[in-house]
Amino acid sequence: MTRIIVCMIGIFVFGVIYAEILNELKLFDFRVNDYLFAGSISLIFLFSELILKHLEKRESISNQDEIRFRKIKDFYYITLALLGFILLVAAPFIWWGAIKRLAHMANEGIR
């Protein structure tokens, strides 16, 4: 249970970062609400974990369920790894954007 809570907090923080990236890229005509976006990603994570636990219980029933569970679990972990990789690649750009914004704010404060 502790693992799920900690992961949900981490996913929520990453969701806020992803929402800010989407807002800065200006892909949409509207501004994405950071907390709704992060909350929905956290809920998707929670539901996927619950579904995996349910499928893990059914795994021992038949060989076909075991194969299906392995495929779903592999896809799930590949998706999480892909999201983590995107965040890892985006981190320097986020950092650079934060430094650039602070530099502009400092310049405006001097004048």
Side-chain angles (χ1 to χ4, degrees), residues 40-55:
S40 62
I41 288 178
S42 295
L43 284 176
I44 289 171
F45 172 77
L46 177 65
F47 288 139
S48 62
E49 283 290 321
L50 293 175
I51 290 170
L52 275 179
K53 291 290 183 193
H54 175 71
L55 291 175

Side-chain angles (χ1 to χ4, degrees), residues 50-66:
L50 293 175
I51 290 170
L52 275 179
K53 291 290 183 193
H54 175 71
L55 291 175
E56 189 175 13
K57 288 178 185 175
R58 288 188 50 194
E59 171 189 15
S60 61
I61 295 174
S62 71
N63 192 22
Q64 184 180 10
D65 286 338
E66 183 179 345

Side-chain angles (χ1 to χ4, degrees), residues 2-107:
T2 305
R3 181 183 70 87
I4 291 178
I5 292 171
V6 169
C7 287
M8 282 192 58
I9 292 170
I11 295 283
F12 185 84
V13 170
F14 288 150
V16 170
I17 292 170
Y18 285 136
E20 281 298 321
I21 291 171
L22 286 175
N23 287 333
E24 288 298 318
L25 290 176
K26 295 181 172 95
L27 296 174
F28 307 112
D29 293 336
F30 56 91
R31 184 162 169 78
V32 176
N33 187 338
D34 298 341
Y35 300 114
L36 283 177
F37 185 78
S40 62
I41 288 178
S42 295
L43 284 176
I44 289 171
F45 172 77
L46 177 65
F47 288 139
S48 62
E49 283 290 321
L50 293 175
I51 290 170
L52 275 179
K53 291 290 183 193
H54 175 71
L55 291 175
E56 189 175 13
K57 288 178 185 175
R58 288 188 50 194
E59 171 189 15
S60 61
I61 295 174
S62 71
N63 192 22
Q64 184 180 10
D65 286 338
E66 183 179 345
I67 293 170
R68 183 181 307 140
F69 174 70
R70 284 186 191 158
K71 287 181 181 178
I72 291 172
K73 190 168 116 178
D74 289 343
F75 176 75
Y76 176 67
Y77 287 135
I78 288 171
T79 304
L80 284 179
L82 181 65
L83 288 175
F85 180 73
I86 290 171
L87 183 66
L88 184 67
V89 169
F93 297 108
I94 296 170
W95 184 250
W96 176 254
I99 291 172
K100 189 176 174 183
R101 184 178 296 167
L102 287 173
H104 284 292
M105 288 171 55
N107 273 343

